[in-house]
Amino acid sequence: MSVSVRIPTILRTYTNGAAEVSGEGGTLREVLQKLDADYPGIGGRILDETGKIRRFVNVYVGEEDVRFAEGLDTATPDGVQISVIPAVAGG
């Protein structure tokens, strides 16, 4: 399945400045594995040491926050847009 992945500004150093890259996989886990293979190191900024999505990173498949869906096992249909969004904290 071919998908597009929106990359936040802070992670664009891994994608040579690209704001959007193409990815492949039937699940979010597969897409992120391919993304890390194509852009080494980016996976470690999205996933923690245990392989879970980092606490301050939000990932959407289409309009759905994967934390409220199937997590890394969320299906990624052909043509869907995946958005990686760092959480904003402050007071």
Side-chain angles (χ1 to χ4, degrees), residues 16-61:
N16 299 315
E20 190 168 304
V21 297
S22 61
E24 294 180 13
T27 65
L28 179 60
R29 182 184 319 277
E30 293 171 358
V31 171
L32 293 178
Q33 287 170 343
K34 174 78 168 120
L35 187 68
D36 193 52
D38 292 344
Y39 305 99
I42 197 168
R45 304 291 293 174
I46 299 169
L47 304 176
D48 66 18
E49 304 77 31
T50 66
K52 295 181 181 175
I53 296 173
R54 289 188 177 277
R55 183 175 173 196
F56 295 108
V57 175
N58 298 307
V59 181
Y60 290 81
V61 172

